């Protein structure tokens, strides 16, 4: 599969920090679109990573936002940080908007299908998660899915 240097390096660094510190990461899903994650429960870790934008990876014609691929969320050129989209369906319209896929889920799709999606866009705000940590979000959105363990294969 395709892995890009900027995305992979930042993704692995962030996941290693999450794993080493035992930090939970929030995840919300917009049904039939994406599951989004990457904001830490640790406010200090968020501050460190949120201001370190990741340079864009090259756009390749065969790297498509298909179901099961992962791409960094972006708001413009070289503006990616820690937030990642897991494509729940084929989202080809993201291809031309700078969402370059860098990995694919090869197993465990049943877990993805069980993510809580009823909050959708009404889930906790990214600002609240970043500034106050996910504990606050879990109080107001108790069904919010969580990442509690990361394994490297």
């Amino acid at each position: 599969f395709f892995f890009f240097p900027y995305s992979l390096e930042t993704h692995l660094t962030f996941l290693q920090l999450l794993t080493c510190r035992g930090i939970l990461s929030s995840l919300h899903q917009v049904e039939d679109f994406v599951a989004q994650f990457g904001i830490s429960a640790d406010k200090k870790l968020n501050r460190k990573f949120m201001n370190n934008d990741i340079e864009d990876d090259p756009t390749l014609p065969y790297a498509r936002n298909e179901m099961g691929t992962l791409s960094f969320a972006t708001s413009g050129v070289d503006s990616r940080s820690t937030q990642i989209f897991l494509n729940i369906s084929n989202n080809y319209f993201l291809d031309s908007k700078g969402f370059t896929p860098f990995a694919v889920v090869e197993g465990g799709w049943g877990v993805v299908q069980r993510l809580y999606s009823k909050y959708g866009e009404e889930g906790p705000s990214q600002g609240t998660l970043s500034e106050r940590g996910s504990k606050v979000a879990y109080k107001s959105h108790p069904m919010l899915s969580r990442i509690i363990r990361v394994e490297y294969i």
Side-chain angles (χ1 to χ4, degrees), residues 74-114:
T74 183
S75 60
V77 176
D78 296 335
S79 66
R80 302 174 303 164
S81 63
T82 62
Q83 295 195 51
I84 297 172
F85 282 0
L86 167 56
N87 288 297
I88 302 298
S89 60
N90 293 331
N91 294 310
Y92 299 126
F93 70 95
L94 295 175
D95 295 346
S96 63
K97 298 179 186 244
F99 294 80
T100 304
F102 67 90
V104 65
V105 174
E106 292 188 347
W109 197 252
V111 173
V112 173
Q113 292 175 319
R114 291 192 308 266

Side-chain angles (χ1 to χ4, degrees), residues 4 9 15 17 28 31 33 42 45 53 62 93 102 104 106 117 127 131 136 140 151:
F4 294 109
E9 180 181 337
L15 288 179
L17 283 170
H28 87 234
E31 201 165 14
F33 178 44
D42 184 328
L45 190 59
D53 291 340
Y62 59 84
F93 70 95
F102 67 90
V104 65
E106 292 188 347
S117 63
E131 295 166 19
V136 172
S140 61
E151 291 183 19

Side-chain angles (χ1 to χ4, degrees), residues 3-16:
F3 285 101
F4 294 109
Y6 310 128
S7 295
L8 185 60
E9 180 181 337
T10 300
H11 179 66
L12 290 177
T13 300
F14 186 68
L15 288 179
Q16 286 169 344

Side-chain angles (χ1 to χ4, degrees), residues 37-56:
F37 63 97
I39 297 177
S40 172
D42 184 328
K43 297 175 278 192
K44 292 177 186 170
L45 190 59
N46 287 329
R47 282 188 215 108
K48 176 182 177 178
F49 276 93
M50 295 310 265
N51 296 321
N52 292 326
D53 291 340
I54 304 167
E55 197 176 321
D56 287 344

